[in-house]
Amino acid sequence: MQETPRSAEGRIALVTGAARGIGLASVERFLAEGWKVALLDIDGGNLEAAMGRLAKPDATLAIVADVSDPAQVNAAVRQVEERFGRLDALVNNAGIAIFKPLLETTFEDWSKVLAVNLSGPFLCTQAAAPLMAAHGGGAVVNITSISGLRASTLRVAYGTSKAGLAQLTKQQAVELAQHGIRVNAVAPGPVDTAMAKAVHSPEIRAAYHDAVPLARYGLESELANVIVFLCSEKASYVTGQVVAVDGGFEATGIGLPALRGHNG
């Protein structure tokens, strides 16, 4: 017997790192599909600007919090419950990157990146799961990275944190299934975010274009489409997966551009 998907109307999502980039694009996608959304970000100024841009005060809630602080995370989930009464989806998008060579990465750098990128999703999911379970379950999407699937220079802390998040996703999926909670991850490849535009030189962009079979950067909206799909009833039998949304980058292996288009 095929189940009838529940309507998105009245459903609630919490998105971390929601003030810009992939997080904000996900918020916009949720709202377009009838969800109400709590936006969490550590940057109050950017969060206020995002709320002004959305201009949907009845359907949104702004929360300024640090995902690496257990007390702030627990308080944030209580705010969601007080405002909306339930929680159906959590998107663990908040993250930071410190790009340094291995031998120049300090323990402070290492600890900061892992605190936000790995401990943050652990804390947020742990805090949110009981509220989800109390209302029949829900979905969690962790935003990892291609850097967690393929090693690269300058990413010893960032890449390791994202690889750990991919494994955390599977642990969470296995343990939370009994509560009706699905957990998946999205691993973005190169995406045209503000950070990428600021730090990727023309040479870097050209190199990515050569390495990605679709020969372009992804769009924030393309990531948001997959994130919201994984939170929806359309993905009701999908859990424990890491979905690379990367234009084929991770699938290419050595992927020499000179061999592309040749059959042998």
Side-chain angles (χ1 to χ4, degrees):
M1 179 178 168
Q2 187 174 7
E3 294 184 3
T4 302
R6 288 183 290 171
S7 169
E9 295 293 333
R11 304 193 76 190
I12 311 301
L14 168 60
V15 180
T16 72
R20 62 179 184 175
I22 294 169
L24 182 55
S26 298
V27 171
E28 291 173 329
R29 183 74 254 159
F30 275 121
L31 291 171
E33 296 199 6
W35 293 62
K36 294 181 179 178
V37 188
L39 293 77
L40 185 153
D41 205 284
I42 197 171
D43 187 331
N46 274 341
L47 187 57
E48 183 178 356
M51 292 291 285
R53 168 179 161 181
L54 295 171
K56 292 191 174 181
D58 293 338
T60 55
L61 169 67
I63 303 172
V64 178
D66 179 352
V67 297
S68 68
D69 184 314
Q72 292 187 43
V73 168
N74 289 329
V77 172
R78 285 196 299 271
Q79 283 184 256
V80 174
E81 183 175 20
E82 290 167 4
R83 170 69 184 276
F84 296 120
R86 61 182 294 136
L87 182 61
D88 301 283
L90 167 66
V91 179
N92 285 311
N93 172 69
I96 60 171
I98 297 176
F99 295 141
K100 291 183 179 179
L102 170 66
L103 298 182
E104 295 177 18
T105 300
T106 66
F107 183 65
E108 182 181 5
D109 294 333
W110 170 270
S111 300
K112 184 175 182 179
V113 171
L114 265 69
V116 175
N117 294 3
L118 187 54
S119 296
F122 165 76
L123 292 170
C124 289
T125 304
Q126 193 175 58
L131 180 56
M132 288 185 181
H135 296 275
V140 177
V141 176
N142 296 320
I143 309 305
T144 177
S145 172
I146 289 302
S147 293
L149 302 176
R150 295 176 65 171
S152 179
T153 54
L154 309 180
R155 287 166 170 78
V156 62
Y158 181 76
T160 302
S161 72
K162 294 299 189 177
L165 183 55
Q167 178 62 23
L168 177 63
T169 297
K170 296 180 181 183
Q171 293 289 153
Q172 291 171 333
V174 169
E175 294 201 29
L176 295 177
Q178 63 181 313
H179 301 292
I181 298 171
R182 297 180 298 101
V183 188
N184 294 289
V186 166
V191 181
D192 251 336
T193 61
M195 182 175 73
K197 291 172 182 175
V199 303
H200 287 188
S201 66
E203 292 78 14
I204 291 174
R205 294 183 72 89
Y208 266 127
H209 283 199
D210 285 343
V212 173
L214 291 185
R216 65 176 176 85
Y217 278 47
L219 303 177
E220 294 168 349
S221 60
E222 291 176 309
L223 271 297
N225 287 340
V226 178
I227 291 165
V228 175
F229 164 75
L230 289 171
C231 292
S232 76
E233 289 298 304
K234 294 177 181 178
S236 57
Y237 200 54
V238 181
T239 195
Q241 303 304 304
V242 179
V243 181
V245 185
D246 65 351
F249 179 63
E250 198 273 332
T252 59
I254 55 173
L256 296 176
L259 293 177
R260 202 161 295 147
H262 294 273
N263 294 321

